[in-house]
Amino acid sequence: MYELLKTEGMAKRGRLTTVHGVIETPVFMNVATAAAVKGGLSAADLKSIRTQVALCNTYHLHVRPGDGVVRDLGGLHRFMQWDGPILTDSGGFQVFSLADLRKIREEGVTFKSHVDGARIFMGPEESMQIQSNLGSTIAMAFDECPSSVAEYDYVKASADRTYRWLVRCRDKMAELNSREDTVNRQQMLFGINQGAIYDDIRIGHAERISELGLDGYAVGGLAVGESHEQMYHILDVTVPHLPKDRPTYLMGVGTPQNILEGVDRGIDFFDCVYPSRNGRHGNLYTGHGTLHIRRAAYERDDRPIEEGCGCPVCRHGYSRAYIRHLLKADEALGLRFCVMHNLWFYNDLMRQIREALDAGEYASFKKNKLDELAMENA
Amino acid sequence: MYELLKTEGMAKRGRLTTVHGVIETPVFMNVATAAAVKGGLSAADLKSIRTQVALCNTYHLHVRPGDGVVRDLGGLHRFMQWDGPILTDSGGFQVFSLADLRKIREEGVTFKSHVDGARIFMGPEESMQIQSNLGSTIAMAFDECPSSVAEYDYVKASADRTYRWLVRCRDKMAELNSREDTVNRQQMLFGINQGAIYDDIRIGHAERISELGLDGYAVGGLAVGESHEQMYHILDVTVPHLPKDRPTYLMGVGTPQNILEGVDRGIDFFDCVYPSRNGRHGNLYTGHGTLHIRRAAYERDDRPIEEGCGCPVCRHGYSRAYIRHLLKADEALGLRFCVMHNLWFYNDLMRQIREALDAGEYASFKKNKLDELAMENA
């Protein structure tokens, strides 16, 4: 299902064929936590900004509207009216970060819902069942994501448990995919490497999970407080121990610079809330640095956010002045435009990365791109 | 410019040709107060819901971003990227209702901005200058809208002053339209009838303003607290004293029922915040009464908001369950979908009204429609 089309150093140019369509990698997944991209983007908007994969959140959808509801309505694809690939994270990250955590046991985790305070238990089997109900294209394994400053012994024990949980996830998914009434019987499973910033735990864990022959492998537990240098170091030591013939996914990362570095270290999949969150705050990506659209300097600026940008907002001719006005006047359209522009920027960056890899020119592309991104916007 | 295509009783089927396109009447204008329809609708969305006329607000745009800014950017059409007709109200209603009003004099009104408290003076000349800067298709005269319970003597004096203001509006617009550097030199002016609920003041005022030979005439000062019966009565006694060969506009009205009654009394133009405001609260119009989408009954309802509805949301297959979820999860997309559906409903109601008038069957159409609208939604 995963075809490695080309390599340049560690960088991979790949193609993952799924039941919901082909994913060209490296790819940036667009975050649609609660089955919608924040800012009011519809499925048609996602097509217009060339989204390849929507990323939905298992924990949020389990709590509201409930994965049983989504299942009864035919799964997430039909619910959202999005026919492309969907990746669901496992809920693990949210359970450990958002929820009022009660207790971690071998079986799983008991916690309180952030919506109504209801007591919820989630373990590997529950997470797989929920993701099966959602019918996503790719399900993520249920893992523990320890703090980047956790002690060695804690991280070691946690990574061991995450491995045992992964085996249970694999077995549970096999059972679910074998059932007649499963929404997506060709659901894929990605395992998640953990180990915080400890090289030997990361490597040992990567080697063990690689033996399971899963559909893809993620590096989790990064971008949670460690430095960029630590993150790049962990990728340098870990990715070589993950199978090259499967897609790799760097979870929750990151800035355009992080992505350029991640690709260079063998990453296929990325996701991050930065483009949508920054967009909602009026901080817009351009090929020459960030443009803060709320600044007074743009009050009468008739130019698009970025000259030559192919996003639907810039192409339609909406001006900086208009978008600034919409944000100042609290008009929802301003948020929508900013999110669309930023997601297009990320999606288009990935297109450029793929083209550079196709041409065997990634090294020089990356250098030039990093220089451009460091510029101050005029 | 206004062609009266057909009549049935007092009801008029008309066509107003403007520099920004043809308006088929009766028409419902879609409210875009601050140069955007609330809920995140773009100009492309307005096309998709068959909006004929966008209605923008002189007072709001004067305060923010400033009509000088809009003028420097080429006018409202270019600012919003909306190429269809735009009507701007005069700011009078907002000055008298929203602003911290200081003083009414013959010259105009001094008040405080609701945004930054700045002291602003607006009279007929200022309102015309602002609307000329905005470059709207149709400008509304600057008027005073007295309370529906104001005393006879006050209303009489106010209507007399509104007449004198109208003459000044007409003269000022003639001057502005004659200038080389005016954004839209073919801007039209609609006068506004006032007189609260006093038949003789309404009639006398209607007769006087009709003599001015303006591009259109509005009935103002209704839907401000009086009963529906009082409103219909005022239309019954006033509209016959307005020229039949010009479009008539019932400002700020109203429910689908109000519109059906207004058409029957000779009204061409309507506008109201109901469809967008109700949409944002999850109260959706259907041919069989209002659907309250947040209700638990719709949790697993796979049907569109209304079966057979041609709006982009229903046509695309988004379900009641999904839209309910979006609203419950505070996703902006839910508001956008609800506003689009409701505005389509109004725009499509007007299409049906025009077709019934074309067919000479308005009386029976109106009766059936009123019966349908009174139904309880299943």
Side-chain angles (χ1 to χ4, degrees):
Chain A
M1 290 170 290
Y2 178 75
E3 212 182 331
L4 184 57
L5 302 173
K6 194 146 188 177
T7 58
E8 183 176 337
M10 281 296 290
K12 295 158 76 187
R13 166 76 177 92
R15 179 175 293 154
L16 182 68
T17 302
T18 79
V19 67
H20 299 112
V22 167
I23 303 166
E24 301 287 347
T25 80
V27 63
F28 180 79
M29 299 186 282
N30 292 186
V31 177
T33 301
V37 171
K38 294 205 183 301
L41 277 67
S42 66
D45 288 331
L46 297 189
K47 294 281 179 192
S48 79
I49 56 170
R50 302 195 185 156
T51 300
Q52 288 201 74
V53 186
L55 188 155
C56 296
N57 190 288
T58 293
Y59 165 75
H60 282 94
L61 292 169
H62 172 61
V63 169
R64 184 172 55 199
D67 49 288
V69 169
V70 176
R71 184 205 158 93
D72 287 354
L73 291 161
L76 262 183
H77 285 86
R78 185 150 166 211
F79 190 56
M80 295 171 65
Q81 293 289 322
W82 166 254
D83 60 6
I86 297 175
L87 182 143
T88 41
D89 61 12
S90 65
F93 185 79
Q94 283 69 35
V95 166
F96 290 99
S97 62
L98 275 189
D100 184 2
L101 187 60
R102 304 302 291 273
K103 205 175 174 187
I104 312 179
R105 288 171 299 165
E106 185 63 24
E107 292 73 26
V109 184
T110 306
F111 60 95
K112 276 188 181 175
S113 154
H114 75 291
V115 170
D116 61 5
R119 193 184 164 90
I120 303 176
F121 174 79
M122 196 184 289
E125 290 79 12
E126 289 74 18
S127 176
M128 289 300 107
Q129 179 67 66
I130 295 167
Q131 294 183 77
S132 182
N133 285 346
L134 297 174
S136 57
T137 315
I138 301 168
M140 297 302 299
F142 186 74
D143 63 337
E144 183 188 351
C145 175
S147 157
S148 64
V149 295
E151 297 284 338
Y152 184 91
D153 289 349
Y154 183 88
V155 174
K156 181 77 180 72
S158 165
D160 286 347
R161 184 169 50 210
T162 284
Y163 173 78
R164 294 189 297 273
W165 283 358
L166 177 56
V167 173
R168 286 163 54 189
C169 285
R170 182 200 58 181
D171 295 346
K172 181 68 180 178
M173 176 174 285
E175 181 216 323
L176 290 164
N177 281 0
S178 73
R179 289 191 199 164
E180 287 284 343
D181 61 346
T182 287
V183 175
N184 172 20
R185 298 182 61 190
Q186 292 164 276
Q187 194 171 42
M188 295 173 169
L189 176 64
F190 280 18
I192 305 176
N193 170 256
Q194 291 288 357
I197 53 163
Y198 303 108
D199 295 5
D200 64 318
I201 304 179
R202 284 278 179 186
I203 292 170
H205 191 261
E207 287 173 341
R208 290 176 76 192
I209 65 177
S210 296
E211 288 162 12
L212 296 175
L214 304 175
D215 299 305
Y217 289 91
V219 183
L222 292 179
V224 293
E226 81 289 355
S227 71
H228 285 171
E229 288 63 35
Q230 284 175 311
M231 177 169 81
Y232 299 149
H233 171 76
I234 292 297
L235 292 179
D236 284 333
V237 304
T238 306
V239 177
H241 297 277
L242 293 171
K244 210 165 176 176
D245 61 350
R246 299 297 155 93
T248 52
Y249 167 22
L250 177 53
M251 301 181 81
V253 172
T255 64
Q257 289 85 346
N258 293 156
I259 289 174
L260 289 161
E261 298 293 350
V263 167
D264 221 5
R265 288 163 175 83
I267 300 298
D268 289 280
F269 282 62
F270 298 87
D271 82 281
C272 190
V273 296
Y274 286 168
S276 46
R277 186 174 293 165
N278 282 329
R280 296 202 305 280
H281 289 109
N283 301 321
L284 302 177
Y285 293 93
T286 80
H288 307 89
T290 305
L291 189 149
H292 305 284
I293 194 73
R294 298 180 74 104
R295 281 192 185 154
Y298 303 121
E299 187 183 29
R300 289 164 199 259
D301 194 332
D302 200 27
R303 292 175 291 174
I305 298 167
E306 181 170 19
E307 308 265 13
C309 170
C311 92
V313 181
C314 291
R315 219 172 48 231
H316 194 287
Y318 293 108
S319 65
R320 295 175 181 181
Y322 182 55
I323 297 167
R324 174 179 186 271
H325 161 67
L326 293 174
L327 290 186
K328 303 280 280 187
D330 282 329
E331 286 291 340
L333 184 58
L335 303 183
R336 185 173 156 222
F337 280 168
C338 289
V339 172
M340 286 179 77
H341 173 86
N342 274 2
L343 286 177
W344 168 278
F345 179 87
Y346 267 68
N347 294 338
D348 196 60
L349 172 65
M350 305 316 291
R351 177 192 61 76
Q352 295 171 44
I353 288 172
R354 291 191 299 271
E355 286 183 6
L357 287 166
D358 285 336
E361 296 170 350
Y362 185 68
S364 61
F365 170 83
K366 177 186 156 191
K367 185 184 175 308
N368 291 339
K369 206 69 185 171
L370 288 173
D371 287 347
E372 279 174 27
L373 290 167
M375 288 174 68
E376 217 19 76
N377 206 276
Chain B
M1 291 170 290
Y2 177 75
E3 211 181 332
L4 184 57
L5 302 174
K6 195 145 186 174
T7 58
E8 184 175 336
M10 282 296 290
K12 296 159 74 186
R13 166 76 177 92
R15 179 174 293 153
L16 183 67
T17 302
T18 79
V19 67
H20 298 112
V22 167
I23 303 167
E24 301 287 348
T25 81
V27 63
F28 180 80
M29 299 186 282
N30 292 186
V31 178
T33 301
V37 171
K38 293 205 184 300
L41 277 67
S42 66
D45 287 331
L46 297 189
K47 295 282 179 192
S48 80
I49 56 169
R50 301 195 185 155
T51 301
Q52 287 201 76
V53 185
L55 189 155
C56 297
N57 191 287
T58 293
Y59 165 75
H60 281 94
L61 291 170
H62 172 62
V63 169
R64 184 173 54 197
D67 49 288
V69 169
V70 176
R71 183 204 157 92
D72 288 354
L73 291 161
L76 262 183
H77 286 86
R78 183 150 168 212
F79 190 57
M80 295 170 66
Q81 293 288 323
W82 166 254
D83 60 7
I86 297 174
L87 182 142
T88 40
D89 61 12
S90 65
F93 184 79
Q94 283 69 36
V95 167
F96 290 98
S97 62
L98 275 190
D100 183 3
L101 187 61
R102 304 301 291 271
K103 206 175 174 187
I104 311 178
R105 288 171 298 165
E106 186 62 25
E107 292 72 26
V109 184
T110 306
F111 60 96
K112 276 190 181 174
S113 153
H114 75 290
V115 171
D116 60 5
R119 192 185 165 90
I120 303 176
F121 174 79
M122 197 185 289
E125 290 78 11
E126 289 73 19
S127 176
M128 289 300 108
Q129 179 68 65
I130 295 167
Q131 293 182 79
S132 181
N133 285 346
L134 297 174
S136 57
T137 315
I138 301 169
M140 296 304 298
F142 186 74
D143 63 337
E144 184 188 351
C145 175
S147 158
S148 63
V149 296
E151 298 284 340
Y152 183 92
D153 289 349
Y154 183 88
V155 174
K156 181 77 180 72
S158 167
D160 286 346
R161 184 169 50 209
T162 285
Y163 174 78
R164 294 190 297 274
W165 284 358
L166 177 56
V167 173
R168 285 164 55 190
C169 285
R170 182 200 58 182
D171 295 347
K172 181 68 181 179
M173 176 175 286
E175 182 216 321
L176 290 164
N177 281 359
S178 74
R179 288 192 199 163
E180 288 284 344
D181 62 345
T182 288
V183 176
N184 172 20
R185 298 182 61 191
Q186 292 164 275
Q187 193 171 42
M188 294 173 169
L189 177 64
F190 280 18
I192 305 176
N193 171 255
Q194 291 288 358
I197 53 163
Y198 303 108
D199 295 6
D200 64 318
I201 304 179
R202 284 279 179 187
I203 293 169
H205 191 261
E207 287 173 341
R208 290 176 76 191
I209 66 177
S210 296
E211 289 163 10
L212 296 175
L214 304 176
D215 300 305
Y217 290 91
V219 183
L222 293 178
V224 293
E226 81 288 356
S227 71
H228 285 171
E229 289 63 36
Q230 284 176 312
M231 177 169 82
Y232 299 149
H233 171 75
I234 292 298
L235 292 179
D236 283 333
V237 303
T238 305
V239 176
H241 298 277
L242 293 171
K244 209 166 176 176
D245 62 350
R246 299 297 155 94
T248 53
Y249 167 22
L250 178 53
M251 302 181 80
V253 173
T255 64
Q257 289 85 345
N258 293 157
I259 289 174
L260 289 161
E261 298 293 350
V263 166
D264 222 5
R265 288 163 174 83
I267 300 298
D268 289 280
F269 283 63
F270 299 86
D271 83 280
C272 189
V273 296
Y274 286 168
S276 46
R277 186 174 293 166
N278 282 330
R280 296 202 305 280
H281 290 108
N283 301 322
L284 302 176
Y285 294 93
T286 80
H288 307 89
T290 305
L291 189 148
H292 305 284
I293 194 72
R294 298 180 73 105
R295 281 190 185 156
Y298 303 121
E299 187 182 28
R300 290 164 198 257
D301 194 331
D302 200 26
R303 292 174 293 175
I305 298 167
E306 181 169 20
E307 308 265 12
C309 170
C311 92
V313 181
C314 291
R315 219 171 49 228
H316 195 286
Y318 293 107
S319 65
R320 295 174 182 182
Y322 182 54
I323 297 167
R324 174 180 187 271
H325 162 66
L326 293 174
L327 291 185
K328 303 280 281 185
D330 282 328
E331 285 292 339
L333 183 59
L335 303 182
R336 184 174 157 221
F337 280 168
C338 290
V339 171
M340 287 179 76
H341 173 85
N342 275 1
L343 287 176
W344 168 279
F345 179 87
Y346 267 67
N347 293 338
D348 195 61
L349 172 65
M350 305 315 290
R351 177 192 61 76
Q352 295 172 44
I353 288 173
R354 291 192 299 271
E355 286 183 7
L357 287 166
D358 285 337
E361 297 170 351
Y362 185 68
S364 62
F365 169 83
K366 177 186 157 192
K367 184 184 175 308
N368 292 338
K369 206 70 184 173
L370 288 173
D371 287 347
E372 279 174 25
L373 290 167
M375 289 173 68
E376 219 15 78
N377 207 276

